[in-house]
Amino acid sequence: MEKREVKERRTGLPDLKDAQKGKVVLRFAPNPNGPLSFGHARGLVINSTYREMYDGVFILRFDDTDTKVKPPMLEAYERIQEETAWLTGRKPDRVVIASDRMEHYYEHASLMLEKGYGYVCRCSAEAFKEHRVGKTNCPCRERTSLENLELWQQMLDREFNPGEVVVRVKTDMTLKNPALRDWPALRLQDTEAHPHPRESIGSKYVVWPLLDFQSAVEDHLQGVTHIVRGKDLMDSTRKQTLLYEHFGWNYPETMYWGRVKVHEWGGFSTSKMRLDIEEGRYPGWGDPRLPTLEGLKGRGISDAALRAFWLELGITQKDISVPLSTLYAHNTKVVDSTAPRLSFIREPVLCSLEGLEIPKTVSHPVNPNDKTMGSRTWDMNKGTVYLEQEDFEKGSLRLKEFADINLEGPKAILHSFERSDKRSIVHWITEENSTEGTLISTSNNEIITQNGRLEKHALKIGTIVQLERIGYARLQEDGSFILCHEVSVEEK
RNA sequence: GCUCGUAUAGUGUAGUGGCCCAUCAUGAAGGACUCUCAUUCCUUCGACCCGGGUUCAAAUCCCGGUACGAGCACCA
């Protein structure tokens, strides 16, 4: 009888299964091998939104347990926390750093060996692969817990080299899914050659947990109730569930989202970007061509737009490909009502006004949809204005909020102050109310710098403006503007 | 190859057996407003992967096919 209600369009995220208000614990666990990027925003937005919905706890966890393949970046720890606060609107309730929690992982590893839930395996990776593929038990599996604990101590005492030994979780070698067969839980890392970048950790440990073990133990210790993450971690859930069964714990409820590709970006990875930056292909993580949170923010993509974007995609397991214009549409919606208008003349042509008596000043609204934002008033004393080359060529124009003109070479003959016909309305700027200005944009992975005449302004760094008839742009520290996206997607 | 997952308009999404000749957004086309090619508003266009089955009734359940994606790392 309440069915009717169920069928109404759901807005926002679907309910979490078995969730009670005030008792939900969520986490987002990036690898700090670089600052966050566009894709990370999904985990942040979804999980932090559930925190709001259920008045729960949101944990930011740094999964920094690999020092060689994806080594952590020291600056990223701080940066990621700032980015999290920016995107979610508040600090995480708890911050956990895996490399600070090693003793807990050791304790559980040792307990696992003692109880016979796992074993120390001295097979090479290749040798074990044969067991995995052939569904045969590895001889190491037969060791007693005493032997295992002894070997474990030797691991801790650095009596082995990386690659010689690994701790495995005992599952079942005949499991249908090969990924789950006696999966590795802890391994050795050469932290002399590859020390952990955090000073307090450095080369202190050689035995390190792998993601599936570290994450499983930590989720339990933190009391995580719901895990919402990408579906690439589905097998991870199954592995971890097997470990939870050994320990008699209850695995959190999980939900997954599918892969998202942004048409314009293709496949970016943090590791790849890091390499590109180190090799000088990009000057830094904030480069406007990079899909990092820093890059997007720097271009004027608002946190609210990013949130709206990811919330709209929701958590379907479908793999999708979205154009960037979807994000831009959200951004326009968020930013337009508060964006001051500004005049920027590309390829400026200087014209002198003649023919009619020129008023002392001309005013434009700061934002036509919000009169309380006031107006911009230009002095007209000098009688010279800049027009864009492209507009100049049209011959007869309407200078916005001012007058109709007919162009005769460098002379702009004032025709009337009232609109006299349908000639196109263009933006313009007086000589004395403008300065040299720069607009930076990106196209085909190139940075394009365009100089022109910029209206004088007193805006704060970071303000997102609408350059009239051009697009939304953000004021940078050096006074230049960086184009976020064009006012209209219409191609010219 | 083995394992797992997904398939609704151009792009995304809602929908868990009848309310669906299918929701909302975006997009496209047209229009209104506007001294910006902005914003806002209105109209129109446009979809249930294919084939079987279950049922009085299927986008929804089952089976098969196809397509796409992920995992099978001593990465996260």
Side-chain angles (χ1 to χ4, degrees):
Chain A
M1 52 185 185
E2 293 302 320
K3 255 190 159 176
R4 212 164 205 96
E5 209 151 335
V6 181
K7 277 268 184 162
E8 301 214 336
R9 186 184 155 78
R10 199 196 74 224
T11 51
L13 297 173
D15 290 335
L16 287 175
K17 205 178 160 209
D18 294 331
Q20 278 181 41
K21 220 174 157 89
K23 292 192 176 163
V24 169
V25 181
L26 300 140
R27 45 74 157 185
F28 171 66
N31 180 347
N33 62 336
L36 299 180
S37 57
F38 184 68
H40 290 114
R42 188 177 205 169
L44 236 25
V45 168
I46 301 290
N47 283 291
S48 72
T49 300
Y50 274 126
R51 182 258 312 266
E52 302 302 331
M53 279 169 67
Y54 288 96
D55 193 17
V57 172
F58 174 66
I59 300 168
L60 174 64
R61 189 179 80 207
F62 293 100
D63 281 353
D64 58 345
T65 55
D66 179 81
T67 64
K68 188 181 173 186
V69 183
K70 293 179 180 173
M73 191 176 98
L74 199 54
E75 311 89 273
Y77 291 86
E78 207 51 49
R79 214 122 132 205
I80 287 173
Q81 295 192 53
E82 288 162 14
E83 289 167 341
T84 299
W86 172 70
L87 186 61
T88 69
R90 63 191 257 193
K91 289 186 176 173
D93 299 296
R94 220 180 280 165
V95 175
V96 175
I97 302 179
S99 55
D100 278 341
R101 313 266 304 157
M102 295 294 278
E103 303 304 332
H104 294 278
Y105 308 142
Y106 285 178
E107 193 184 310
H108 283 86
S110 153
L111 188 65
M112 179 169 84
L113 294 173
E114 188 190 317
K115 299 272 191 189
Y117 306 154
Y119 60 95
V120 177
C121 175
R122 299 185 63 179
C123 299
S124 65
E126 301 75 49
F128 189 81
K129 192 174 182 181
E130 281 180 31
H131 290 298
R132 181 171 51 235
V133 175
K135 301 186 182 184
T136 52
N137 281 355
C138 149
C140 309
R141 214 173 195 269
E142 308 308 323
R143 270 191 255 280
T144 63
S145 27
L146 218 60
E147 289 170 326
N148 279 320
L149 285 170
E150 206 168 297
L151 285 166
W152 167 246
Q153 192 55 49
Q154 289 174 17
M155 283 174 75
L156 294 174
D157 292 341
R158 310 192 178 206
E159 290 177 24
F160 294 105
N161 292 315
E164 289 177 356
V165 64
V166 72
V167 176
R168 296 189 179 280
V169 176
K170 204 179 272 184
T171 62
D172 186 337
M173 294 305 282
T174 61
L175 247 24
K176 273 173 73 182
N177 189 340
L180 312 183
R181 297 172 194 158
D182 284 8
W183 53 272
L186 300 101
R187 85 319 202 165
L188 259 24
Q189 294 196 96
D190 183 355
T191 45
E192 293 300 331
H194 304 279
H196 196 284
R198 294 178 72 217
E199 213 181 314
S200 57
I201 310 298
S203 310
K204 189 172 167 188
Y205 306 103
V206 287
V207 180
W208 285 84
L210 269 337
L211 169 84
D212 291 310
F213 185 79
Q214 178 269 126
S215 178
V217 170
E218 198 61 74
D219 281 337
H220 176 255
L221 295 176
Q222 299 292 336
V224 169
T225 59
H226 294 77
I227 300 174
V228 194
R229 59 181 171 190
K231 71 174 185 183
D232 51 314
L233 269 344
M234 265 177 164
D235 281 348
S236 202
T237 295
R238 297 182 183 107
K239 288 188 206 172
Q240 293 175 358
T241 303
L242 295 169
L243 181 69
Y244 270 56
E245 281 169 6
H246 279 311
F247 281 110
W249 303 336
N250 282 324
Y251 199 76
E253 288 295 333
T254 49
M255 284 203 257
Y256 309 93
W257 56 69
R259 230 169 92 104
V260 172
K261 253 202 235 167
V262 172
H263 177 66
E264 287 85 344
W265 286 330
F268 270 85
S269 76
T270 303
S271 313
K272 175 78 164 59
M273 284 190 278
R274 187 168 177 172
L275 189 70
D276 282 344
I277 290 164
E278 280 166 5
E279 294 182 352
R281 281 188 285 277
Y282 299 101
W285 292 95
D287 189 279
R289 291 164 294 182
L290 293 177
T292 55
L293 249 33
E294 206 181 319
L296 293 171
K297 184 186 178 187
R299 275 165 60 186
I301 298 289
S302 71
D303 53 317
L306 238 18
R307 268 183 262 128
F309 174 88
W310 285 116
L311 249 19
E312 182 175 64
L313 298 195
I315 43 183
T316 59
Q317 290 186 31
K318 209 167 141 186
D319 300 307
I320 55 173
S321 174
V322 239
L324 221 34
S325 55
T326 306
L327 177 63
Y328 295 158
H330 282 294
N331 202 53
T332 298
K333 212 157 279 175
V334 171
V335 149
D336 186 79
S337 61
T338 55
R341 269 47 174 177
L342 218 55
S343 209
F344 180 74
I345 310 298
R346 302 165 289 193
E347 297 183 67
V349 178
L350 190 64
C351 301
S352 58
L353 299 169
E354 293 180 18
L356 292 171
E357 195 181 327
I358 305 168
K360 280 197 157 41
T361 61
V362 171
S363 288
H364 290 71
V366 172
N367 184 316
N369 305 317
D370 185 354
K371 301 295 180 212
T372 66
M373 289 175 76
S375 58
R376 307 174 271 155
T377 303
W378 303 341
D379 293 324
M380 300 297 293
N381 302 331
K382 214 167 169 185
T384 45
V385 300
Y386 284 102
L387 299 176
E388 290 203 340
Q389 174 70 31
E390 198 176 303
D391 292 330
F392 176 78
E393 285 165 8
K394 290 176 191 157
S396 62
L397 299 168
R398 169 78 187 170
L399 302 187
K400 191 168 176 283
E401 306 277 358
F402 178 44
D404 286 2
I405 57 165
N406 295 315
L407 288 155
E408 291 178 9
K411 292 177 185 169
I413 312 299
L414 288 166
H415 178 254
S416 92
F417 293 113
E418 300 303 316
R419 278 213 83 169
S420 60
D421 51 27
K422 291 271 185 189
R423 62 184 72 195
S424 43
I425 298 166
V426 302
H427 65 298
W428 55 288
I429 186 64
T430 63
E431 189 179 4
E432 63 262 56
N433 287 289
S434 62
T435 58
E436 290 295 318
T438 304
L439 178 63
I440 292 164
S441 55
T442 58
S443 173
N444 294 323
N445 212 38
E446 298 281 324
I447 299 262
I448 298 164
T449 303
Q450 192 161 36
N451 293 314
R453 291 299 292 191
L454 175 68
E455 179 181 345
K456 286 181 182 170
H457 64 84
L459 299 168
K460 285 198 305 200
I461 307 284
T463 305
I464 298 166
V465 302
Q466 188 202 89
L467 298 177
E468 284 183 302
R469 300 209 305 141
I470 299 175
Y472 297 91
R474 182 174 179 273
L475 176 58
Q476 303 198 102
E477 287 73 9
D478 64 1
S480 66
F481 278 92
I482 180 153
L483 186 69
C484 184
H485 47 96
E486 294 174 353
V487 282
S488 146
V489 283
E490 188 185 311
E491 294 297 320
K492 40 177 185 173

